[in-house]
Amino acid sequence: MQTAPRVLFVGSYPPRRCGIATFTRDLAEGLAAVSGRPSQVIAMHNPADALEYPPEVVRTIRRDHIEDYREAAAFVNRAPVDVVCLQHEFGLFGGEAGAHLFEFLRLLEKPVVATLHTVIRRPAPEYREATLALIRHAHRLVVMSQVAREILLDTYGAPAEKIRLIPHGVPDPPGADPAVVKRELGLEGRWVILTFGLLSRNKGIELVLDALPAVVRDHPQVLYVVLGATHPEVLRWEGDVYRRFLEDRVRELGLEEHVRFVNEYVDQETLLRWIHASDLYVTPYPNEEQVVSGTLSYALAMGKPIVSTPYWYARELLADGRGVLVPFGQPAALAAAVRGLLGDRAQYERISRAARDFGQRMRWPAVAEQYVHLLAEAATATAAMSRAETPAAGEPERRWEEVPIRLDHLRRLTDDTGLLQHASYSVPDPRFGYSADDAGRALVVLMELYGRLRRTDGLDLAERYVRFLRYAQRPDGAFHNFVGYDRRFLDDAGSEDTQGRAVWGLGHVAKTAPDAGMRALAREMVQAARPHLENLQHPRAQAYAVCGLFPYATAIDAPAGAAEWYALIERLAENLAARYDRYARPGWEWFDDRLTYGNAILCNAMFLAYLATGRERFRRIGQESLDFLWSFLWNGEHLDLVGNDGWADRHGSRAVYGQQPIDAGYLVEALVTANAVTGQVEYARRAYDAFAWFLGRNRLGRPLVDTATGAVSDGLEAHGPSANQGAEAAISFLLARLALERLRAQGRGEPKASTRPWHAALARRSDSRRTVPAR
């Protein structure tokens, strides 16, 4: 066997009382037994609990203390550790949907193998984002059921090669005779049906209670044991209401002699004794969405016949005659299944043998062996990746002119409805539908392609995207963002960014589209959206609106008609300027305490606001912020964008992976505008350098663009460019590529007359509420 890696676990750990703590300990002990090499543990800790951890716990992380995650990552990076084995459950970690974990993973320099204890098929947005981030960070993902694997593939688009199916481990059963254990627990002479778990409404205990009268009529020696304390979170929020409801139900049904509640937390040894003493195990859960159950695994491996509702894990584990499934919410069916097993000894023994035989592969030594191989594989693959050759310094780069402007991939992502958001690899993925965000930005590209290069091959796409935005605009003028593949709206209204992005595209259509009807429709849609533009609060939304309203206003022939739109541009830019003044400090000339996504759109908007109003303050802020952004992202050799796995802040925290094409595309656009406004050649040089990020002058020396189709990787991850090639990435590349065409047209010298402030229209406007500043 290959040399076992040095493993560090991150998860809960005994003496903390939870199933994942037990799992982590059992897996760590199993690895040590198989490999002969003990593991270290970083335990997730609740400060309210005074716990004495064993020696293998080398550090703790307080759930809600973000600094603990950072310090833990620094510790692991220095430690003699080859690979991290992460036990993931959303509630184990602090932040929304456990988002604090990604501060640890963002800073970690060691490979990660993550065991997923919960996988959600229909996640809320925050859980979707958390799962996608975990998929990006982990080098391997372990699931314990086939259904969990299918959800990762179908719902989240996880790479199949990252996923391993390893069953839930189970301990060896107690060696004592079950009859002896039954006598010690006071169960002698009873047929024991057992359900175990921290008590809460999602356990479905009432289903068994309602089925029990029909069972005890035929088998009066039956005793149903409900083992486990009430879940602590349930106690905190509603007390023991559910337990009292169940006790009342027992009295109503006259089952006092046939039901026993054991209201205590039991450790693994005690639980195994109860399972060993039982004759039948029941899991009556009312919902199907459960991808693993430790206690179901224990009962099966100990050869206990099981009756269960058909939740996902039970369907899988009890297939091929290893148990009996009954429909949700049908006590008569449950009673019939239990009576059938208790009355048919041959069937009882047949199911017991099938369960016990299958359970052999779930014993911890067998499971630990699989983990050892997987952990070694992750450690070895990562080490090989770090040694991989990158392009030699000074190697000739492709000139930007040699990179063709291709719409093949954009066209591939487009159907009769609009532009599909995502692709699995290069294949359009209809599961995620369409977005107004992408339609708006794609219109900017297509109008620039027509207006700058007189290419008409994208005009049919432009018409389709305008039609989509028309469909997405509500009667009040706001835009929906997300539309499903079935054309149903997936939101009540899009975000503020959506309103700005839609207007960005429509503003360019109103100015540039060759078809008069399309221009008229775009103007009508922008006018309808105006009340929402007036009330934008988010800085990027304001910036997008400025970028769309500038071409929109310049296309209006009547000065009086244009004046109101220039006034709106000025108000939006003034909001951005005020925000800049609030946050900017020497060395951090920015609009916020953080750098996140699409940063350069803010700089670009300030330059355009200067062109629209002539206000020098706007030009100064645009230039200061862009100079700061460039100094932050340029490392002297290549662009090193802020990653989306934690972003960057003024205090020094910075993510380096999850770099996105949107940031490179917007930066090239802003640099070209800066060159046009200031005439400074340095901005032109920077624009070419920023564009080279797409071609391989980046942290990993890997190109992201497929020059044959125009497809672009969704991001730059630790393992290399993303395999997926969605709409935003392709649009961002095209924005950058067309900006360089604009740079070639405008030259590198003094600003052209067409890019000087639009003061002629301003001077003629009838709006007397402000005076054009003298220059």
Side-chain angles (χ1 to χ4, degrees):
M1 190 182 79
Q2 63 200 114
T3 303
R6 297 167 296 181
V7 180
L8 181 139
F9 284 89
V10 175
S12 56
Y13 203 78
R16 181 169 174 175
R17 294 179 168 183
C18 78
I20 293 179
T22 303
F23 182 95
T24 306
R25 182 201 61 199
D26 289 350
L27 178 54
E29 291 178 351
L31 289 182
V34 170
S35 69
R37 173 173 272 176
S39 300
Q40 301 179 72
V41 178
I42 293 180
M44 297 305 302
H45 178 64
N46 182 352
D49 298 331
L51 301 178
E52 297 260 348
Y53 288 103
E56 61 265 28
V57 176
V58 295
R59 195 177 187 91
T60 61
I61 295 176
R62 293 169 294 177
R63 178 184 184 276
D64 297 314
H65 291 247
I66 190 71
E67 65 274 14
D68 284 12
Y69 294 81
R70 295 169 182 152
E71 292 169 4
F75 171 83
V76 178
N77 290 340
R78 296 191 303 267
V81 170
D82 298 315
V83 60
V84 171
C85 189
L86 170 70
Q87 304 306 307
H88 183 266
E89 166 66 57
F90 296 102
L92 204 56
F93 308 98
E96 189 175 51
H100 284 4
L101 170 65
F102 302 110
E103 185 70 3
F104 169 78
L105 295 178
R106 178 180 68 82
L107 298 170
L108 193 64
E109 298 171 0
K110 304 293 176 73
V112 176
V113 173
T115 302
L116 280 63
H117 292 263
T118 297
V119 183
I120 305 173
R121 173 164 281 167
R122 290 177 283 272
E126 63 272 21
Y127 288 93
R128 174 184 290 278
E129 288 305 312
T131 304
L132 291 173
L134 184 62
I135 292 168
R136 288 195 301 268
H137 280 291
H139 295 72
R140 298 290 185 272
L141 302 163
V142 177
V143 293
M144 291 175 270
S145 62
Q146 181 62 31
V147 68
R149 182 179 186 276
E150 291 168 359
I151 293 170
L152 286 180
L153 293 170
D154 297 341
T155 300
Y156 301 97
E161 65 273 12
K162 270 194 176 186
I163 307 170
R164 296 290 188 277
L165 173 56
I166 301 178
H168 192 297
V170 297
D172 292 328
D177 185 332
V180 173
V181 180
K182 187 176 280 193
R183 184 169 57 250
E184 291 172 349
L185 293 173
L187 305 172
E188 192 172 16
R190 308 299 297 265
W191 276 96
V192 178
I193 302 172
L194 179 66
T195 294
F196 166 77
L198 292 173
L199 199 61
S200 62
R201 296 180 189 275
N202 64 357
K203 296 299 182 184
I205 306 300
E206 57 270 32
L207 179 68
V208 185
L209 298 182
D210 290 343
L212 214 53
V215 175
V216 299
R217 278 197 299 270
D218 292 346
H219 304 280
Q221 72 273 41
V222 159
L223 176 68
Y224 178 43
V225 176
V226 180
L227 177 64
T230 301
H231 196 291
E233 291 299 319
V234 173
L235 282 175
R236 182 175 294 113
W237 287 106
E238 67 174 32
D240 237 346
V241 174
Y242 181 58
R243 184 180 296 275
R244 290 196 295 273
F245 160 76
L246 295 174
E247 291 169 344
D248 289 344
R249 187 66 179 148
V250 168
R251 286 189 288 272
E252 290 170 9
L253 295 170
L255 295 172
E256 292 93 331
E257 299 300 317
H258 299 280
V259 178
R260 182 186 301 179
F261 292 98
V262 182
N263 185 8
E264 59 185 58
Y265 180 88
V266 296
D267 58 21
Q268 185 183 76
E269 181 181 354
T270 304
L271 169 62
L272 294 177
R273 282 169 54 80
W274 276 98
I275 296 175
H276 199 46
S278 69
D279 299 287
L280 205 65
Y281 196 82
V282 177
T283 53
Y285 304 152
N287 301 308
E288 68 173 354
E289 295 198 18
Q290 185 163 335
V291 297
V292 71
S293 167
T295 56
L296 188 71
S297 302
Y298 290 0
L300 177 123
M302 292 171 69
K304 298 300 174 180
I306 297 168
V307 176
S308 177
T309 50
Y311 57 93
W312 294 335
Y313 188 62
R315 287 206 301 262
E316 193 169 316
L317 200 65
L318 303 184
D320 301 325
R322 294 187 293 271
V324 179
L325 297 176
V326 297
F328 293 107
Q330 295 190 20
L334 179 61
V338 172
R339 289 158 59 199
L341 284 172
L342 295 182
D344 186 343
R345 197 65 191 178
Q347 183 191 21
Y348 182 97
E349 293 295 341
R350 186 167 56 251
I351 291 176
S352 177
R353 282 194 304 272
R356 187 181 296 108
D357 292 345
F358 187 84
Q360 291 299 320
R361 71 185 70 177
M362 302 170 69
R363 302 284 183 211
W364 272 118
V367 169
E369 185 81 37
Q370 295 183 63
Y371 268 95
V372 167
H373 286 290
L374 181 61
L375 291 162
E377 175 187 310
T380 303
T382 305
M385 183 184 298
S386 67
R387 294 191 298 270
E389 292 184 359
T390 57
E395 192 173 283
E397 297 173 18
R398 286 175 293 182
R399 290 179 56 82
W400 67 270
E401 299 100 320
E402 297 171 3
V403 182
I405 302 172
R406 294 193 182 280
L407 301 182
D408 304 48
H409 192 60
L410 208 60
R411 192 172 291 282
R412 187 180 189 188
L413 290 168
T414 303
D415 62 14
D416 287 342
T417 300
L419 178 59
L420 289 163
Q421 292 187 80
H422 295 296
S424 294
Y425 300 94
S426 61
V427 180
D429 193 335
R431 295 173 301 166
F432 304 103
Y434 317 85
S435 77
D437 285 343
D438 289 335
R441 290 179 292 190
L443 285 171
V444 177
V445 165
L446 297 172
M447 291 301 100
E448 184 72 10
L449 186 65
Y450 173 75
R452 180 71 52 194
L453 301 180
R454 283 295 181 256
R455 278 182 49 174
T456 60
D457 53 324
L459 292 179
D460 62 320
L461 297 177
E463 181 178 333
R464 204 163 300 176
Y465 302 157
V466 170
R467 186 177 66 202
F468 174 83
L469 289 179
R470 180 67 165 175
Y471 177 66
Q473 191 170 32
R474 304 188 319 182
D476 68 353
F479 293 91
H480 291 280
N481 190 15
F482 298 118
V483 176
Y485 194 59
D486 57 1
R487 298 190 178 185
R488 289 185 301 172
F489 296 117
L490 303 180
D491 54 22
D492 292 328
S495 67
E496 285 197 356
D497 280 13
T498 296
Q499 313 312 312
R501 286 167 172 164
V503 167
W504 187 18
L506 292 170
H508 280 270
V509 173
K511 178 179 174 64
T512 306
D515 180 76
M518 191 184 296
R519 293 196 304 272
L521 178 58
R523 287 195 296 270
E524 180 180 311
M525 294 167 71
V526 172
Q527 289 164 1
R530 177 166 182 163
H532 303 282
L533 305 181
E534 295 274 7
N535 295 308
L536 293 175
Q537 302 297 316
H538 193 281
R540 282 169 181 76
Q542 294 168 344
Y544 285 122
V546 168
C547 291
L549 293 178
F550 179 72
Y552 179 86
T554 60
I556 298 175
D557 293 330
E564 60 178 320
W565 295 100
Y566 286 122
L568 177 53
I569 290 172
E570 184 172 12
R571 288 195 296 275
L572 293 169
E574 187 57 49
N575 290 338
L576 291 173
R579 185 179 182 91
Y580 178 84
D581 290 343
R582 186 160 66 251
Y583 286 99
R585 298 291 183 272
W588 186 268
E589 292 83 6
W590 195 243
F591 301 83
D592 204 334
D593 282 331
R594 304 180 74 211
L595 288 168
T596 56
Y597 69 96
N599 297 299
I601 197 73
L602 298 165
C603 315
N604 201 47
M606 297 311 292
F607 284 123
L608 295 180
Y610 162 70
L611 294 177
T613 67
R615 293 187 60 181
E616 181 64 25
R617 180 184 181 216
F618 295 162
R619 184 209 56 77
R620 174 183 57 79
I621 291 174
Q623 198 165 351
E624 286 177 359
S625 59
L626 183 60
D627 288 346
F628 161 73
L629 185 61
W630 180 260
S631 68
F632 195 90
L633 300 178
W634 181 253
N635 67 7
E637 296 181 358
H638 60 75
L639 200 63
D640 203 17
L641 298 171
V642 173
N644 68 359
D645 295 331
W647 309 119
D649 61 43
R650 69 161 75 233
H651 305 296
S653 173
R654 176 174 182 168
V656 296
Y657 287 116
Q659 296 186 19
Q660 297 181 83
I662 185 176
D663 289 296
Y666 286 8
L667 184 58
V668 175
E669 176 88 3
L671 289 164
V672 170
T673 303
N675 170 261
V677 169
T678 68
Q680 294 183 19
V681 174
E682 183 61 25
Y683 289 119
R685 295 195 188 100
R686 291 175 181 177
Y688 295 126
D689 285 335
F691 183 77
W693 180 87
F694 289 102
L695 307 183
R697 251 178 77 188
N698 51 48
R699 170 174 280 264
L700 296 182
R702 304 278 295 278
L704 285 86
V705 61
D706 180 348
T707 57
T709 65
V712 180
S713 295
D714 282 348
L716 192 67
E717 310 292 350
H719 57 79
S722 168
N724 297 329
Q725 298 171 322
E728 181 181 272
I731 292 165
S732 299
F733 170 76
L734 290 168
L735 277 172
R737 178 63 180 79
L738 286 162
L740 295 187
E741 291 291 343
R742 178 157 55 95
L743 181 61
R744 171 158 54 184
Q746 71 195 25
R748 294 184 171 194
E750 290 299 314
K752 302 296 182 184
S754 62
T755 59
R756 291 198 175 107
W758 219 262
H759 61 283
L762 286 171
R764 294 194 301 268
R765 78 188 196 183
S766 59
D767 183 359
S768 61
R769 287 174 291 176
R770 66 170 294 276
T771 303
V772 179
R775 295 184 298 118

